[in-house]
Amino acid sequence: MQDVYVVSHPHAEHTRLDLVGGWHDSQLTARGRRDAHLVAEELNRRRDTSRPIRITTSDLARCAETATIVATTLAAPVTTDPRLREISFGEAEGRPNDWLAQRQVPAPEDNRLDHRGPILGAETRREVATRVGACIRELMTDTVHDHVVVTHGYALTFVITAWMQISVDAVGFASFATTPGAITHLRRDDYWRNRALLSLADTSHLNTDQT
């Protein structure tokens, strides 16, 4: 069997400050760094130590820092890949969330994939799904390793759909919700070659009563 653990980066500065994230390159908060260590410990507990494991992460600081913490605990190599970045919010990035909320227009029912909206420089759902999917399909050719993928809340959906081999044209309405520091567990079995979603956005390893 092959296990894939998808980590949603923990709490970051742009969230603390109520700013638009996207490609805005914020660091983890102190809480986020603490949670990254808890993620690392949980992955070390879950992993099959008979199989080698590798880590692939978004190149944005909040993910790269998470991956570095996880790598230290797992003694695993890290590769950064900008295709795992969050959706770009264009000119809204780094601005207050209220600024974006006042201008954003939801995608219509008949144009979920290619709707760009009025925000200059923003990505479409199709563009995010395409680049994330290309990264995941490349990773899945490496069946020798188990994988940890460190990414962002919106991008997580397309990690899952790509791994399940759902075409980009079919993900217009797909959404897998997550929270900071959550672990999503995917598994491919060797006999049937099924790709199972064993757990989605698990946060049982986090001390959620702490701030």
Side-chain angles (χ1 to χ4, degrees):
M1 291 185 294
Q2 182 183 49
D3 288 307
V4 180
Y5 301 99
V6 190
V7 176
S8 307
H9 71 77
H11 195 251
E13 286 291 342
H14 73 277
T15 302
R16 184 181 68 83
L17 297 172
D18 197 25
L19 303 177
V20 178
W23 292 12
H24 177 63
D25 205 11
S26 69
Q27 305 282 335
L28 294 178
T29 61
R31 170 185 165 188
R33 288 188 291 275
R34 180 209 68 195
D35 286 353
H37 284 282
L38 294 174
V39 168
E41 292 167 10
E42 178 66 11
L43 291 175
N44 198 41
R45 183 188 69 79
R46 293 191 191 188
R47 67 176 295 190
D48 178 354
T49 55
S50 69
R51 286 177 57 82
I53 195 165
R54 54 182 287 207
I55 302 166
T56 307
T57 179
S58 160
D59 63 333
L60 294 177
R62 55 197 184 269
C63 284
E65 185 177 2
T66 302
T68 298
I69 291 169
V70 171
T72 299
T73 297
L74 300 187
V78 177
T79 301
T80 59
D81 195 319
R83 293 176 296 180
L84 290 172
R85 285 187 177 193
E86 184 60 292
I87 186 172
S88 172
F89 290 102
E91 65 177 347
E93 288 167 357
R95 295 178 183 264
N97 277 306
D98 282 347
W99 187 93
L100 177 59
Q102 292 166 12
R103 293 162 175 81
Q104 199 167 41
V105 176
E109 292 285 308
D110 62 347
N111 188 22
R112 299 277 298 176
L113 283 170
D114 297 309
H115 173 77
R116 195 176 301 278
I119 309 301
L120 185 65
E123 282 188 296
T124 66
R125 175 179 282 251
R126 184 188 299 277
E127 287 168 343
V128 181
T130 298
R131 62 171 167 80
V132 172
C135 174
I136 298 305
R137 284 189 295 274
E138 285 180 16
L139 286 184
M140 291 307 95
T141 63
D142 175 10
T143 57
V144 172
H145 290 82
D146 289 340
H147 294 269
V148 175
V149 175
V150 185
T151 189
H152 307 261
Y154 185 83
L156 170 93
T157 286
F158 307 113
V159 173
I160 296 171
T161 56
W163 184 82
M164 289 183 165
Q165 298 193 11
I166 300 171
S167 72
V168 170
D169 286 337
V171 301
F173 290 87
S175 179
F176 292 95
T178 188
T179 56
I183 299 172
T184 293
H185 188 181
L186 309 172
R187 175 174 285 169
R188 177 186 181 273
D189 76 79
D190 295 332
Y191 185 78
W192 296 108
R193 298 188 177 87
N194 289 329
R195 293 171 181 245
L197 174 58
L198 295 186
S199 64
L200 174 65
D202 180 15
T203 57
S204 60
H205 52 285
L206 301 180
N207 298 323
T208 54
D209 60 332
Q210 298 183 37
T211 56

